[in-house]
Amino acid sequence: MIPRARATGRALGYRLFYRLPVPLRRRLVRLAVPKYIVGAVTLVRDAETGGAGRILLLRQPPGHSWSLPAGLLQRGEAPVVGAARELHEESGVRLSPDRLRPAVPNAVVHAKGWVDVVFEADVPASRTALKVDGAEVLEAAWHPVDDLPRLSRATANLLAHYGIGPHAGPVPPAAPPAS
């Protein structure tokens, strides 16, 4: 049980806070709340392969490892729009945002202060032209899920959430329903 004095003090604090002008309240919240960098990631699968399938990966400078198409959201940009934009900019694959579906989990919060909003898409690899700029992305290629190249640490950790790659393990049991 919360002591009466503490509950009263907390209630008083909230009353004072909500009397402040909205812009000042927003500024105070921004100062007090942890900040996150938000990125949009697209896990693109080859729609033409069976079994484990293939996924689209990118090799970026310095070129030692592979990653998923991803990038930071622009201010005010919807995550699905950012994912479609980054996919096109980095690989040449142009999909409208309505062709991307939220992955499960849709958002992955990383310990280092960033959040990835993840989307999935299926495209026929044989009819999908890949185009890279040679600066931000050196190469784009389809890779078998059961024989992936060396992945960046961040990509390996992210793919593990979807049961893919070297860090994938057994899927944890579902949480019991709330009562």
Side-chain angles (χ1 to χ4, degrees), residues 63-123:
H64 303 299
S65 59
W66 292 78
S67 61
L68 294 168
L72 297 178
L73 294 178
Q74 297 172 355
R75 185 175 298 276
E77 183 176 41
V80 70
V81 172
R85 176 183 52 78
E86 286 292 340
L87 177 62
H88 180 254
E89 288 175 5
E90 294 185 344
S91 70
V93 176
R94 184 183 298 274
L95 295 177
S96 65
D98 63 347
R99 295 252 336 256
L100 303 180
R101 62 187 181 278
V104 178
N106 183 226
V108 176
V109 180
H110 301 278
K112 300 283 185 182
W114 86 89
V115 176
D116 282 325
V117 183
V118 185
F119 296 90
E120 294 180 301
D122 298 302
V123 299

Side-chain angles (χ1 to χ4, degrees), residues 152-168:
S152 70
R153 180 177 298 146
T155 298
N157 291 338
L158 183 69
L159 284 173
H161 289 276
Y162 306 97
I164 299 171
H167 298 160

Side-chain angles (χ1 to χ4, degrees), residues 42 44 54-61 63 65-70 86-94 123 125 128-144 149:
T42 307
V44 183
R54 297 189 308 168
I55 60 173
L56 177 63
L57 294 173
L58 309 176
R59 192 169 57 84
Q60 296 175 294
S65 59
W66 292 78
S67 61
L68 294 168
E86 286 292 340
L87 177 62
H88 180 254
E89 288 175 5
E90 294 185 344
S91 70
V93 176
R94 184 183 298 274
V123 299
T128 303
L130 302 176
K131 181 180 176 193
V132 299
D133 65 7
E136 181 183 4
V137 177
L138 303 174
E139 184 178 1
W142 296 97
H143 292 275

